[in-house]
Amino acid sequence: MFLDTLLHRNPGLVDAAANLHDSGRVPPDTYVMDLDAVEENAAVLAETARQVGVALWFVVKQLGRNPELVRSVARHIPRAAAIDVTETRTLHASGALLGNVGHLGQIPRRTLPGVLALRPDRVTVFDLANARAVADAAHAVGRTQDVLIRVEGAEGTVYPGQEGGVPLERLDAFAERAEALRSLRIAGVTAFPCVLCDPVTGLPTATPNLELAVKAREVLAARGHRDLELSAPSATSAASLPLLAEWGATHGEPGHALTGTTPLHALDPTQPEKPAYVYVTEVAHTLDDGRPALFGGGFYARSHIRSALLPRTGARLGVPDAPARNIDYYRLLDAPTDGADLRLGDTALLAFRTQIFVTRSTVAVVSGLSSGTPRLNGLYDAQGRAL
């Protein structure tokens, strides 16, 4: 999906990744991350957001919750949105401030005291029971917790496994009951996804959920709430931030833009964010019909992979679709049609959309590429733990 853009915008990362694998310093099934590019992208996003008047909470699940990458982003975007308790703890331990917790994954009731002790700015709640739990935990530690109300998404827009939220038609009644909870303050609303990239042009487009979130804020404003926030996550990038500002959003949540891997970046290599990772694996065996099998572990169902580069020969081989219901022990490539030489252990490089935190991959962090002096900083697992 991103291989052509990567080769055009960040060839130094391609060369470094190939050399690291060929020398045995990184294993197959490794995402090689360009630390310099991630920080440069964070700086671009922070400046664009400043210009249009939108605040940012950065997201790191797709980066493997990596502490080095967290620190590099936090130098420009200090606050983060954590999708679950594990990520909350990793972000805090890595020095990021917690802007919003509980949006994609509600905070389990029994872990709320520990999470609130980290003093997140906002906690997102999906229903009244979670609002009560947050209020009780906040009261127990003697503080008032600001919350964002997750608005239920429009029909057909919510991804399976991400259902939940307060329906717009019941928001007024929900707010009345939430307002009566001690130690809780309604600070705003959020929804997901609020922006998606057009599949043909790649351009960011508002979804019906963003319109629902705007209407939800109006409902709360009519009840007397002031200075309400509207966080509008998904596909936040330099290209989409002006759109968020037009809709009145107060916050965006950049994730893939930090690595230059939104769908727009696949179609438009002139976007200011630079591709910042490449997936490295190797030929494990070759089928009798000539198709090479690569070691898997890091492939993602929504990755939209198109081709793989084998640096030793320069061959570009197609990557057929594979059903998500099967474990990716291996991933097959198309057989070469020109009799290209294939060898056991040949390096293969791929660039595609991923969510590293749900893989079993290694993450290799490389610095110095921007100055032409690449250095392997370290290896981590997909949850950010040093190996």
Side-chain angles (χ1 to χ4, degrees):
M1 183 177 181
F2 299 105
L3 189 54
D4 289 330
T5 302
L6 177 66
L7 289 165
H8 175 66
R9 292 290 307 279
N10 200 351
L13 174 58
V14 175
D15 293 341
N19 290 334
L20 284 168
H21 176 262
D22 190 54
S23 66
R25 298 182 68 194
V26 303
D29 181 25
T30 294
Y31 286 94
V32 179
M33 314 292 300
D34 182 346
L35 182 69
D36 299 359
V38 169
E39 183 158 356
E40 290 168 12
N41 292 341
V44 166
L45 289 160
E47 176 58 21
T48 306
R50 185 194 64 79
Q51 292 174 4
V52 301
V54 174
L56 296 179
W57 292 323
F58 70 92
V59 179
V60 293
K61 60 188 175 73
Q62 74 288 345
L63 303 177
R65 298 165 168 168
N66 187 275
E68 287 197 69
L69 301 177
V70 168
R71 287 191 288 270
S72 71
V73 174
R75 282 192 280 271
H76 304 275
I77 306 171
R79 286 173 164 76
I83 70 158
D84 60 19
V85 173
T86 300
E87 192 160 290
T88 298
R89 293 167 178 156
T90 301
L91 285 163
H92 181 265
S94 302
L97 301 175
L98 297 173
N100 182 22
V101 301
H103 182 202
L104 291 183
Q106 290 287 270
I107 303 300
R109 178 174 59 83
R110 293 170 182 82
T111 63
L112 272 169
V115 169
L116 295 190
L118 304 180
R119 306 193 71 81
D121 292 341
R122 309 287 181 263
V123 176
T124 294
V125 294
F126 282 38
D127 59 15
L128 193 61
N130 275 279
R132 286 197 189 101
V134 171
D136 291 344
H139 180 74
V141 296
R143 62 174 295 191
T144 296
Q145 179 62 55
D146 285 350
V147 299
L148 299 182
I149 301 170
R150 164 73 173 256
V151 181
E152 184 181 60
E155 185 176 357
T157 67
V158 178
Y159 302 128
Q162 297 184 24
E163 301 88 352
V166 180
L168 182 64
E169 62 271 19
R170 295 208 292 273
L171 178 59
D172 193 69
F174 173 93
E176 182 178 9
R177 300 178 73 178
E179 289 160 2
L181 297 173
R182 60 185 180 179
S183 301
L184 181 143
R185 189 184 79 89
I186 296 174
V189 298
T190 187
F192 189 87
C194 289
V195 176
L196 291 176
C197 294
D198 183 274
V200 177
T201 66
L203 294 175
T205 306
T207 72
N209 296 334
L210 183 51
E211 185 175 357
L212 284 173
V214 170
K215 291 179 178 177
R217 185 165 61 175
E218 292 170 353
V219 170
L220 296 176
R223 295 188 59 84
H225 294 276
R226 297 290 178 263
D227 301 320
L228 289 164
E229 296 172 348
L230 193 169
S231 183
S234 186
T236 304
S237 66
S240 68
L241 281 167
L243 176 68
L244 296 189
E246 290 172 13
W247 279 82
T250 61
H251 290 76
E253 299 184 14
H256 279 285
L258 295 169
T259 50
T261 53
T262 76
L264 176 59
H265 292 85
L267 297 173
D268 182 3
T270 68
Q271 289 300 303
E273 300 96 343
K274 180 191 296 186
Y277 68 74
V278 63
Y279 183 65
V280 183
T281 187
E282 68 180 57
V283 175
H285 58 275
T286 303
L287 275 63
D288 191 56
D289 60 10
R291 288 179 294 166
L294 306 179
F295 286 108
F299 293 102
Y300 177 63
R302 297 165 58 205
S303 57
H304 303 292
I305 309 173
R306 298 289 179 263
S307 64
L309 171 66
L310 279 66
R312 185 180 63 80
T313 62
R316 285 279 292 269
L317 300 180
V319 184
D321 289 337
R325 65 180 177 270
N326 294 335
I327 300 171
D328 63 331
Y329 295 109
Y330 303 102
R331 188 65 181 265
L332 292 176
L333 305 183
D334 291 334
T337 58
D338 56 1
D341 176 32
L342 286 174
R343 298 178 187 172
L344 179 71
D346 269 351
T347 301
L349 303 178
L350 304 93
F352 50 84
R353 187 173 177 85
T354 189
Q355 297 283 342
I356 293 176
F357 82 112
V358 298
T359 72
R360 57 186 189 274
S361 302
T362 299
V363 175
V365 178
V366 175
S367 64
L369 283 169
S370 60
S371 60
T373 55
R375 180 173 74 90
L376 177 61
N377 289 20
L379 301 178
Y380 299 82
D381 69 12
Q383 301 300 321
R385 294 177 290 251
L387 298 177

